[in-house]
PDB file of all heavy atoms in Angstrom:
ATOM      1  N   VAL A 318       0.754   1.192  10.202  1.00  0.00           N
ATOM      2  CA  VAL A 318      -0.360   2.018   9.721  1.00  0.00           C
ATOM      3  C   VAL A 318       0.174   3.413   9.406  1.00  0.00           C
ATOM      4  O   VAL A 318       0.818   4.047  10.252  1.00  0.00           O
ATOM      5  CB  VAL A 318      -1.482   2.110  10.779  1.00  0.00           C
ATOM      6  CG1 VAL A 318      -2.641   2.978  10.268  1.00  0.00           C
ATOM      7  CG2 VAL A 318      -1.994   0.724  11.148  1.00  0.00           C
ATOM      8  N   GLY A 319      -0.095   3.912   8.192  1.00  0.00           N
ATOM      9  CA  GLY A 319       0.375   5.234   7.790  1.00  0.00           C
ATOM     10  C   GLY A 319      -0.773   6.221   7.705  1.00  0.00           C
ATOM     11  O   GLY A 319      -1.862   5.892   7.218  1.00  0.00           O
ATOM     12  N   PHE A 320      -0.530   7.458   8.194  1.00  0.00           N
ATOM     13  CA  PHE A 320      -1.525   8.527   8.108  1.00  0.00           C
ATOM     14  C   PHE A 320      -1.182   9.396   6.894  1.00  0.00           C
ATOM     15  O   PHE A 320      -0.115  10.008   6.854  1.00  0.00           O
ATOM     16  CB  PHE A 320      -1.493   9.417   9.356  1.00  0.00           C
ATOM     17  CG  PHE A 320      -1.882   8.733  10.638  1.00  0.00           C
ATOM     18  CD1 PHE A 320      -2.243   7.385  10.668  1.00  0.00           C
ATOM     19  CD2 PHE A 320      -1.908   9.424  11.835  1.00  0.00           C
ATOM     20  CE1 PHE A 320      -2.576   6.748  11.846  1.00  0.00           C
ATOM     21  CE2 PHE A 320      -2.257   8.800  13.022  1.00  0.00           C
ATOM     22  CZ  PHE A 320      -2.593   7.474  13.028  1.00  0.00           C
ATOM     23  N   VAL A 321      -2.079   9.450   5.926  1.00  0.00           N
ATOM     24  CA  VAL A 321      -1.869  10.267   4.718  1.00  0.00           C
ATOM     25  C   VAL A 321      -2.984  11.287   4.626  1.00  0.00           C
ATOM     26  O   VAL A 321      -4.148  10.985   4.920  1.00  0.00           O
ATOM     27  CB  VAL A 321      -1.863   9.380   3.450  1.00  0.00           C
ATOM     28  CG1 VAL A 321      -1.717  10.221   2.203  1.00  0.00           C
ATOM     29  CG2 VAL A 321      -0.738   8.347   3.527  1.00  0.00           C
ATOM     30  N   GLY A 322      -2.653  12.507   4.240  1.00  0.00           N
ATOM     31  CA  GLY A 322      -3.677  13.537   4.090  1.00  0.00           C
ATOM     32  C   GLY A 322      -3.089  14.873   3.749  1.00  0.00           C
ATOM     33  O   GLY A 322      -1.867  15.050   3.705  1.00  0.00           O
ATOM     34  N   PHE A 323      -3.959  15.838   3.505  1.00  0.00           N
ATOM     35  CA  PHE A 323      -3.515  17.197   3.237  1.00  0.00           C
ATOM     36  C   PHE A 323      -2.972  17.824   4.517  1.00  0.00           C
ATOM     37  O   PHE A 323      -3.217  17.325   5.623  1.00  0.00           O
ATOM     38  CB  PHE A 323      -4.679  18.027   2.695  1.00  0.00           C
ATOM     39  CG  PHE A 323      -4.893  17.855   1.213  1.00  0.00           C
ATOM     40  CD1 PHE A 323      -5.616  16.777   0.722  1.00  0.00           C
ATOM     41  CD2 PHE A 323      -4.359  18.749   0.314  1.00  0.00           C
ATOM     42  CE1 PHE A 323      -5.806  16.604  -0.629  1.00  0.00           C
ATOM     43  CE2 PHE A 323      -4.534  18.586  -1.050  1.00  0.00           C
ATOM     44  CZ  PHE A 323      -5.249  17.525  -1.526  1.00  0.00           C
ATOM     45  N   PRO A 324      -2.243  18.914   4.404  1.00  0.00           N
ATOM     46  CA  PRO A 324      -1.734  19.589   5.617  1.00  0.00           C
ATOM     47  C   PRO A 324      -2.871  20.045   6.521  1.00  0.00           C
ATOM     48  O   PRO A 324      -3.936  20.450   6.053  1.00  0.00           O
ATOM     49  CB  PRO A 324      -0.954  20.792   5.062  1.00  0.00           C
ATOM     50  CG  PRO A 324      -0.606  20.419   3.651  1.00  0.00           C
ATOM     51  CD  PRO A 324      -1.734  19.547   3.171  1.00  0.00           C
ATOM     52  N   SER A 325      -2.636  19.954   7.823  1.00  0.00           N
ATOM     53  CA  SER A 325      -3.542  20.488   8.849  1.00  0.00           C
ATOM     54  C   SER A 325      -4.947  19.893   8.820  1.00  0.00           C
ATOM     55  O   SER A 325      -5.935  20.611   8.987  1.00  0.00           O
ATOM     56  CB  SER A 325      -3.625  22.014   8.742  1.00  0.00           C
ATOM     57  OG  SER A 325      -2.367  22.595   8.924  1.00  0.00           O
ATOM     58  N   VAL A 326      -5.030  18.566   8.622  1.00  0.00           N
ATOM     59  CA  VAL A 326      -6.335  17.905   8.737  1.00  0.00           C
ATOM     60  C   VAL A 326      -6.459  17.165  10.065  1.00  0.00           C
ATOM     61  O   VAL A 326      -7.505  16.590  10.352  1.00  0.00           O
ATOM     62  CB  VAL A 326      -6.578  16.925   7.562  1.00  0.00           C
ATOM     63  CG1 VAL A 326      -6.749  17.666   6.254  1.00  0.00           C
ATOM     64  CG2 VAL A 326      -5.475  15.877   7.463  1.00  0.00           C
ATOM     65  N   GLY A 327      -5.376  17.154  10.870  1.00  0.00           N
ATOM     66  CA  GLY A 327      -5.452  16.536  12.200  1.00  0.00           C
ATOM     67  C   GLY A 327      -4.706  15.233  12.341  1.00  0.00           C
ATOM     68  O   GLY A 327      -4.943  14.482  13.292  1.00  0.00           O
ATOM     69  N   LYS A 328      -3.764  14.943  11.418  1.00  0.00           N
ATOM     70  CA  LYS A 328      -3.020  13.674  11.508  1.00  0.00           C
ATOM     71  C   LYS A 328      -2.162  13.638  12.786  1.00  0.00           C
ATOM     72  O   LYS A 328      -2.126  12.622  13.485  1.00  0.00           O
ATOM     73  CB  LYS A 328      -2.097  13.506  10.288  1.00  0.00           C
ATOM     74  CG  LYS A 328      -2.828  13.459   8.959  1.00  0.00           C
ATOM     75  CD  LYS A 328      -1.915  13.124   7.796  1.00  0.00           C
ATOM     76  CE  LYS A 328      -0.811  14.143   7.616  1.00  0.00           C
ATOM     77  NZ  LYS A 328      -1.330  15.471   7.231  1.00  0.00           N
ATOM     78  N   SER A 329      -1.479  14.738  13.083  1.00  0.00           N
ATOM     79  CA  SER A 329      -0.609  14.772  14.262  1.00  0.00           C
ATOM     80  C   SER A 329      -1.418  14.681  15.549  1.00  0.00           C
ATOM     81  O   SER A 329      -1.025  14.008  16.504  1.00  0.00           O
ATOM     82  CB  SER A 329       0.232  16.041  14.259  1.00  0.00           C
ATOM     83  OG  SER A 329       1.068  16.099  13.116  1.00  0.00           O
ATOM     84  N   THR A 330      -2.567  15.353  15.587  1.00  0.00           N
ATOM     85  CA  THR A 330      -3.443  15.275  16.760  1.00  0.00           C
ATOM     86  C   THR A 330      -3.907  13.849  16.978  1.00  0.00           C
ATOM     87  O   THR A 330      -3.925  13.352  18.115  1.00  0.00           O
ATOM     88  CB  THR A 330      -4.664  16.200  16.579  1.00  0.00           C
ATOM     89  OG1 THR A 330      -4.211  17.531  16.309  1.00  0.00           O
ATOM     90  CG2 THR A 330      -5.528  16.221  17.839  1.00  0.00           C
ATOM     91  N   LEU A 331      -4.280  13.173  15.901  1.00  0.00           N
ATOM     92  CA  LEU A 331      -4.737  11.780  16.001  1.00  0.00           C
ATOM     93  C   LEU A 331      -3.621  10.882  16.520  1.00  0.00           C
ATOM     94  O   LEU A 331      -3.853  10.040  17.400  1.00  0.00           O
ATOM     95  CB  LEU A 331      -5.213  11.303  14.635  1.00  0.00           C
ATOM     96  CG  LEU A 331      -5.741   9.872  14.544  1.00  0.00           C
ATOM     97  CD1 LEU A 331      -6.923   9.663  15.475  1.00  0.00           C
ATOM     98  CD2 LEU A 331      -6.138   9.527  13.103  1.00  0.00           C
ATOM     99  N   LEU A 332      -2.398  11.069  16.015  1.00  0.00           N
ATOM    100  CA  LEU A 332      -1.256  10.273  16.497  1.00  0.00           C
ATOM    101  C   LEU A 332      -1.033  10.515  17.993  1.00  0.00           C
ATOM    102  O   LEU A 332      -0.808   9.574  18.758  1.00  0.00           O
ATOM    103  CB  LEU A 332       0.009  10.629  15.718  1.00  0.00           C
ATOM    104  CG  LEU A 332       1.277   9.872  16.146  1.00  0.00           C
ATOM    105  CD1 LEU A 332       1.230   8.438  15.655  1.00  0.00           C
ATOM    106  CD2 LEU A 332       2.526  10.560  15.627  1.00  0.00           C
ATOM    107  N   ASN A 333      -1.090  11.770  18.408  1.00  0.00           N
ATOM    108  CA  ASN A 333      -0.867  12.099  19.819  1.00  0.00           C
ATOM    109  C   ASN A 333      -1.914  11.486  20.724  1.00  0.00           C
ATOM    110  O   ASN A 333      -1.621  11.071  21.853  1.00  0.00           O
ATOM    111  CB  ASN A 333      -0.854  13.629  20.006  1.00  0.00           C
ATOM    112  CG  ASN A 333       0.315  14.287  19.300  1.00  0.00           C
ATOM    113  OD1 ASN A 333       1.276  13.616  18.924  1.00  0.00           O
ATOM    114  ND2 ASN A 333       0.236  15.575  19.078  1.00  0.00           N
ATOM    115  N   LYS A 334      -3.169  11.425  20.249  1.00  0.00           N
ATOM    116  CA  LYS A 334      -4.243  10.857  21.071  1.00  0.00           C
ATOM    117  C   LYS A 334      -4.148   9.329  21.153  1.00  0.00           C
ATOM    118  O   LYS A 334      -4.469   8.743  22.191  1.00  0.00           O
ATOM    119  CB  LYS A 334      -5.615  11.255  20.492  1.00  0.00           C
ATOM    120  CG  LYS A 334      -5.885  12.755  20.466  1.00  0.00           C
ATOM    121  CD  LYS A 334      -5.965  13.361  21.857  1.00  0.00           C
ATOM    122  CE  LYS A 334      -6.326  14.838  21.778  1.00  0.00           C
ATOM    123  NZ  LYS A 334      -6.375  15.479  23.107  1.00  0.00           N
ATOM    124  N   LEU A 335      -3.715   8.700  20.050  1.00  0.00           N
ATOM    125  CA  LEU A 335      -3.643   7.233  20.040  1.00  0.00           C
ATOM    126  C   LEU A 335      -2.388   6.708  20.739  1.00  0.00           C
ATOM    127  O   LEU A 335      -2.376   5.580  21.213  1.00  0.00           O
ATOM    128  CB  LEU A 335      -3.672   6.720  18.599  1.00  0.00           C
ATOM    129  CG  LEU A 335      -4.978   6.931  17.820  1.00  0.00           C
ATOM    130  CD1 LEU A 335      -4.827   6.453  16.385  1.00  0.00           C
ATOM    131  CD2 LEU A 335      -6.145   6.218  18.502  1.00  0.00           C
ATOM    132  N   THR A 336      -1.329   7.523  20.762  1.00  0.00           N
ATOM    133  CA  THR A 336      -0.077   7.114  21.397  1.00  0.00           C
ATOM    134  C   THR A 336       0.394   8.236  22.300  1.00  0.00           C
ATOM    135  O   THR A 336      -0.197   9.290  22.387  1.00  0.00           O
ATOM    136  CB  THR A 336       1.017   6.850  20.330  1.00  0.00           C
ATOM    137  OG1 THR A 336       1.406   8.089  19.765  1.00  0.00           O
ATOM    138  CG2 THR A 336       0.509   5.946  19.216  1.00  0.00           C
ATOM    139  N   ASN A 337       1.508   7.990  22.971  1.00  0.00           N
ATOM    140  CA  ASN A 337       2.108   9.045  23.783  1.00  0.00           C
ATOM    141  C   ASN A 337       3.226   9.765  23.036  1.00  0.00           C
ATOM    142  O   ASN A 337       4.026  10.480  23.631  1.00  0.00           O
ATOM    143  CB  ASN A 337       2.676   8.446  25.074  1.00  0.00           C
ATOM    144  CG  ASN A 337       1.566   7.960  25.979  1.00  0.00           C
ATOM    145  OD1 ASN A 337       0.519   8.591  26.075  1.00  0.00           O
ATOM    146  ND2 ASN A 337       1.766   6.811  26.627  1.00  0.00           N
TER     147      ASN A 337
END
Side-chain angles (χ1 to χ4, degrees):
V318 180
F320 296 0
V321 177
F323 277 82
S325 300
V326 292
K328 300 187 299 295
S329 299
T330 304
L331 180 59
L332 179 75
N333 295 344
K334 298 295 184 182
L335 293 177
T336 71
N337 292 322

